[in-house]
Amino acid sequence: MSEFKVRTMAEMTAVGEVPEVLFWVGCAGSFDDRAKKITKAFAKILHLSGVKFAVLGTEEGCTGDPAKRSGNEFLFQMQAMMNIQVLNGYEVKKIVTTCPHCFNTLKNEYPELGGNYEVVHHTQFINSLLNDGKLSVSGGSFKGKKITFHDPCYLGRANGVYEAPREIIQKLDIQLTELRRCKSNALCCGAGGAQMFKEAEKGNKEINIERTEEALEIKPDVIAAGCPFCNTMMTDGVKNFEKEGEVQVLDIAEMVAQAADL
Amino acid sequence: MISSLVFFVLLAITSVAFYIRVKTITSNINLGRDVEISDNPSLRWKTMARVALGQSKMVTRPVAGFMHILIYLGFIIINLEILEIILDGLFGTHRIFSEFLGGLYKPFINSFEVLALGVLVACVVFLARRNVLKLKRFWSKEMTSWPKSDANIILIVEILLMTAFLTMNAADSILLNTPPLELGRFSLEHYTGVDMNNSGFVVSQLIVPLLPSDFTSLAFIERACWWFHIVGIFAFLNYVPYSKHFHIFLAFPNTYYSNLKNKGQFNSLEAVTKEVQLMMDPSADPYVNPPEGETTEVPKFGAKDVQDLTWKQLMDAYSCTECGRCTSVCPANQTGKLLSPRKIMMDTRDRLEEFGKGLDANGRDYKDGKSLLGSYISKEEVWACTTCNACTDACPVNIDPLSIIIDLRQHLVMEESAAPAELNNMFSNVENNGAPWQFAQADRLNWANED
């Protein structure tokens, strides 16, 4: 990120500044090579839109989502309380995150443990930047391309956010082709509930293959995603069918960054 | 007079038997952990009105949804007719409502007949979907012989009941259209008092040509169908609470007590919060005696057996009518894994029935060495779930199989330390370096310095 410096909460607080929003990067966004591209794209969008944002940097730790979904409530609450101490210490009010799992956990499960913040998913945040005119995009780069969107479970069914990513897609001048199973009927990519971190149980197919097959049926140029884990699963699926030359798996943030010529 | 007495005895037996069974189910449900669900009553009533009364989630699958609404409407409205039958039975009257309704009585019965025809058609279609078209969700692994025949028995009984109702009306309509003087010769003059306008009822008139013409036979058919219909209903009422069909009652309370939170919000364990707070509090003294009156009992985490689940989760189990919509949308099940959310609910109910029976026979300290997790539900099933909430979203009566799966996982992880090895690795990574993978915490911001 040579264009600008990403500042941490510690750095901002040291000089008495308060960010508009805290960008919660998440573990995938921090460490996974594919997800880091999404992180960078979103950071660029924030910078371009003139949003004063900060990250926790090395003070951020796993929200505890994979621990909670796999039944390790102890570990979850340990993580949650450590994070809440940090967040409350900085008097954080608003959080945006590119990961629906972090989004869900911070939004729904931290309040009971003393962490009360306004939490939004990056698709909601980008959508309001577009609505407020702080960011403008031209749809040129996606003209004539067939694009579909895979709903992340923890954004859609878990929190009822279906429209924000679709509205962004519309603003990119894209005719969205919906998957057969979409919105509340969407099929999981197979990564949720800590499945990302283990082999699947015995069956006759991998879930991401089933979902990718469904997406490939409509012969898209781009499969849009809103979750780093879905992104990995769908990317692996596309590779499995040896379609990586024809079909791209892109996060909504990456598409916006591309359209805004970032 | 004798028939009134016989009727009274049958009604009394039916009511007592039904009461006893409902009491057993209630006490089984109360074996579950206590949990307070009383917030937001107005939203709860609305949810019940929309989901149970309004069948809003049924119609997401239009064919089954529409057919189900036919049966549901028929069932609720035809109950008014059953009230008349019960009053006639007790007082020896014939079509007692005709006295109050006068000219409106015939349209009243006509509307029931239309509904009865709807029920009949829907039941035939449902039977065909299960047994001729063999829809996948009715033939999956957990649909063993009893769940399959349970569904067929109910459908066939409903068809028989509706046929009896219509045949009764057909025979009766001929008699009601006959002048009392003529009927008097056969002592059948009580078949009177309904304003029939010399025609039959709207649907059952189609059966009229199939019936004999002599009045004695007609009266016999009318009586036989009347008794068959009402005794069938009494039997049905006492079959329902032993069958998956109990959802006709429990759908209402079960949707009232629905989870109103975002589906992504899993319950927080207070017992864990206390311990974690103690761990994180530098001034806490772990050796201090608990305050007077507070128990030192070690809390149990998660669920191994039915009594570790909440009463609501147990009510869910009795509310399940095994439609299999949950399983048909489950990503694990669709890709051939063992997990089936419907089976989770069926297992919970079967285990609860078994455990409840054991308690009744052997007293409160009864242990049979079995448990829901292990004897009914395997670890393999529990670990196959992606927590995607497709099952809870699909359930027409807001049953939550996912919460049971998570409670079972909590038991495996926190009581037995029996998570799959890869998950244990993930746990220690989160614990040691704050991420599910083995990356150093110090490298978290590296992305910001890359291109």
Side-chain angles (χ1 to χ4, degrees):
Chain A
M1 308 282 277
S2 42
E3 309 94 313
F4 62 99
K5 183 176 161 25
V6 177
R7 299 168 75 195
T8 62
M9 276 309 288
E11 288 164 350
M12 272 206 185
T13 311
V15 293
E17 287 182 56
V18 180
E20 251 175 79
V21 66
L22 172 79
F23 172 21
W24 184 277
V25 181
C27 301
S30 302
F31 296 119
D32 180 83
D33 283 336
R34 177 67 190 85
K36 277 198 268 187
K37 291 184 186 164
I38 305 170
T39 308
K40 290 174 205 167
F42 184 58
K44 283 180 190 168
I45 292 170
L46 289 174
H47 178 71
L48 176 85
S49 314
V51 177
K52 191 172 177 186
F53 74 98
V55 296
L56 283 178
T58 55
E59 288 185 282
E60 189 187 280
C62 173
T63 57
D65 165 81
K68 177 135 188 145
R69 308 305 141 200
S70 44
N72 196 338
E73 182 75 8
F74 264 104
L75 183 53
F76 161 71
Q77 290 202 13
M78 292 280 286
Q79 289 302 118
M81 289 201 202
M82 285 194 289
N83 284 323
I84 289 169
Q85 271 182 357
V86 173
L87 291 166
N88 288 357
Y90 286 122
E91 294 178 11
V92 168
K93 302 273 180 300
K94 185 170 181 177
I95 301 175
V96 61
T97 172
T98 46
C99 172
H101 296 266
C102 297
F103 164 70
N104 175 68
T105 309
L106 292 166
K107 179 180 173 359
N108 295 318
E109 291 168 349
Y110 275 32
E112 282 184 340
L113 301 170
N116 293 287
Y117 323 103
E118 184 194 345
V119 187
V120 292
H121 186 245
H122 72 307
T123 55
Q124 295 173 304
F125 200 87
I126 294 173
N127 195 34
S128 49
L129 289 177
L130 291 167
N131 285 340
D132 298 347
K134 290 185 181 158
L135 177 69
S136 56
V137 286
S138 59
S141 46
F142 295 101
K143 258 244 141 57
K145 291 200 168 166
K146 197 170 199 182
I147 291 171
T148 188
F149 177 68
H150 163 79
D151 287 276
C153 304
Y154 276 85
L155 187 63
R157 269 190 299 273
N159 288 289
V161 180
Y162 298 110
E163 293 313 317
R166 288 179 169 77
E167 282 172 25
I168 296 175
I169 289 173
Q170 212 167 28
K171 286 172 187 139
L172 289 174
D173 239 349
I174 294 166
Q175 186 58 46
L176 179 68
T177 313
E178 291 284 5
L179 291 167
R180 185 163 50 83
R181 290 172 281 194
C182 65
K183 298 187 180 174
S184 65
N185 289 325
L187 183 78
C188 173
C189 72
Q195 298 294 344
M196 184 75 190
F197 308 103
K198 60 185 264 297
E199 286 299 315
E201 274 58 36
K202 215 170 92 261
N204 51 32
K205 207 183 212 179
E206 295 293 337
I207 296 171
N208 68 323
I209 299 300
E210 166 85 10
R211 185 58 163 167
T212 311
E213 237 171 24
E214 184 181 344
L216 293 180
E217 268 170 32
I218 58 178
K219 299 195 183 344
D221 297 298
V222 176
I223 300 173
C227 168
F229 297 104
C230 298
N231 196 309
T232 303
M233 293 311 244
M234 299 306 282
T235 306
D236 287 352
V238 169
K239 278 185 193 148
N240 181 76
F241 291 104
E242 296 175 349
K243 293 277 186 202
E244 63 266 42
E246 301 145 53
V247 183
Q248 273 186 298
V249 181
L250 288 176
D251 191 274
I252 298 274
E254 294 176 298
M255 294 171 67
V256 171
Q258 204 175 317
D261 216 8
L262 293 174
Chain B
M1 193 55 215
I2 292 175
S3 73
S4 290
L5 195 67
V6 171
F7 186 85
F8 176 78
V9 171
L10 283 175
L11 181 63
I13 293 172
T14 300
S15 311
V16 171
F18 184 71
Y19 172 76
I20 290 172
R21 176 60 184 158
V22 169
K23 235 182 107 188
T24 306
I25 291 176
T26 315
S27 77
N28 281 351
I29 288 174
N30 283 328
L31 290 173
R33 279 194 299 116
D34 197 19
V35 57
E36 169 95 12
I37 309 177
S38 57
D39 59 310
N40 215 337
S42 68
L43 182 57
R44 294 191 175 282
W45 285 112
K46 273 183 211 151
T47 308
M48 187 179 93
R50 196 180 71 242
V51 178
L53 200 67
Q55 309 261 302
S56 61
K57 289 173 92 177
M58 279 306 294
V59 291
T60 54
R61 300 193 185 186
V63 178
F66 176 69
M67 294 288 159
H68 187 269
I69 285 177
L70 282 184
I71 298 185
Y72 163 78
L73 279 179
F75 203 89
I76 290 194
I77 300 176
I78 293 172
N79 273 328
L80 288 172
E81 168 64 6
I82 292 170
L83 183 67
E84 181 184 41
I85 292 180
I86 289 177
L87 292 175
D88 280 344
L90 288 175
F91 302 117
T93 46
H94 188 67
R95 296 192 180 265
I96 192 168
F97 285 179
S98 61
E99 276 178 48
F100 316 114
L101 292 173
L104 287 175
Y105 184 79
K106 197 178 173 193
F108 177 71
I109 294 296
N110 279 344
S111 64
F112 292 156
E113 288 206 341
V114 171
L115 287 167
L117 183 67
V119 172
L120 211 101
V121 170
C123 286
V124 171
V125 173
F126 278 168
L127 272 177
R129 281 162 62 90
R130 281 176 185 268
N131 302 293
V132 182
L133 299 174
K134 300 200 174 182
L135 258 61
K136 196 176 154 217
R137 67 183 155 113
F138 301 127
W139 287 78
S140 42
K141 224 179 286 166
E142 66 271 19
M143 296 306 280
T144 48
S145 64
W146 163 242
K148 268 194 220 142
S149 32
D150 187 9
N152 286 334
I153 290 169
I154 290 159
L155 291 169
I156 290 167
V157 168
E158 282 188 63
I159 289 173
L160 291 176
L161 289 177
M162 291 305 118
T163 311
F165 174 66
L166 291 171
T167 312
M168 171 184 89
N169 283 352
D172 203 0
S173 68
I174 303 174
L175 296 169
L176 291 169
N177 275 318
T178 310
L181 263 178
E182 221 171 299
L183 290 175
R185 288 192 279 135
F186 304 91
S187 315
L188 295 172
E189 58 277 8
H190 53 279
Y191 284 100
T192 184
V194 180
D195 199 355
M196 294 297 288
N197 292 327
N198 282 323
S199 63
F201 294 112
V202 61
V203 175
S204 62
Q205 61 182 344
L206 300 170
I207 305 175
V208 167
L210 306 173
L211 296 177
S213 52
D214 69 293
F215 297 140
T216 322
S217 306
L218 285 171
F220 176 78
I221 290 171
E222 192 275 337
R223 279 295 88 187
C225 287
W226 188 92
W227 279 101
F228 180 84
H229 184 228
I230 193 64
V231 172
I233 282 168
F234 288 169
F236 190 72
L237 187 69
N238 275 298
Y239 175 79
V240 163
Y242 291 92
S243 110
K244 74 185 190 86
H245 221 50
F246 202 49
H247 80 285
I248 60 176
F249 297 107
L250 280 184
F252 295 90
N254 207 58
T255 47
Y256 180 87
Y257 292 113
S258 296
N259 173 25
L260 300 180
K261 295 181 288 197
N262 282 334
K263 284 182 185 297
Q265 180 180 349
F266 291 11
N267 287 331
S268 185
L269 291 192
E270 263 173 64
V272 172
T273 312
K274 265 187 216 156
E275 305 220 357
V276 171
Q277 271 166 347
L278 209 62
M279 268 192 273
M280 293 185 69
D281 180 3
S283 61
D285 177 3
Y287 302 108
V288 77
N289 285 326
E292 201 74 26
E294 201 172 287
T295 54
T296 49
E297 205 183 311
V298 188
K300 268 191 354 184
F301 302 122
K304 185 182 189 196
D305 207 351
V306 280
Q307 70 273 33
D308 305 325
L309 296 170
T310 68
W311 63 263
K312 172 59 173 66
Q313 288 169 316
L314 301 183
M315 186 193 264
D316 274 356
Y318 275 116
S319 306
C320 175
T321 195
E322 301 166 10
C323 72
R325 291 185 180 204
C326 53
T327 295
S328 74
V329 295
C330 171
N333 192 275
Q334 288 178 74
T335 53
K337 277 86 176 172
L338 273 187
L339 175 64
S340 159
R342 167 171 57 186
K343 180 176 173 290
I344 300 283
M345 300 322 298
M346 292 166 72
D347 284 344
T348 304
R349 188 190 53 213
D350 290 349
R351 170 60 188 155
L352 182 55
E353 278 283 304
E354 176 188 61
F355 186 63
K357 271 190 199 127
L359 282 183
D360 285 344
N362 304 290
R364 290 219 66 86
D365 295 325
Y366 173 70
K367 298 237 168 8
D368 59 2
K370 292 196 202 171
S371 57
L372 179 62
L373 181 64
S375 316
Y376 285 79
I377 300 172
S378 66
K379 288 183 196 172
E380 190 179 335
E381 292 164 69
V382 171
W383 289 117
C385 173
T386 69
T387 71
C388 76
N389 264 306
C391 55
T392 64
D393 193 77
C395 180
V397 294
N398 286 355
I399 291 170
D400 184 355
L402 175 52
S403 70
I404 297 181
I405 295 172
I406 294 300
D407 287 1
L408 298 177
R409 282 185 177 185
Q410 285 176 346
H411 172 85
L412 285 170
V413 171
M414 292 192 285
E415 296 282 343
E416 292 186 16
S417 301
E422 299 145 300
L423 288 188
N424 281 331
N425 281 340
M426 180 267 286
F427 295 154
S428 52
N429 288 334
V430 171
E431 220 171 317
N432 296 328
N433 48 273
W437 303 284
Q438 218 169 14
F439 288 108
Q441 179 98 16
D443 293 338
R444 262 201 186 254
L445 199 52
N446 287 3
W447 63 269
N449 305 313
E450 298 164 5
D451 271 321

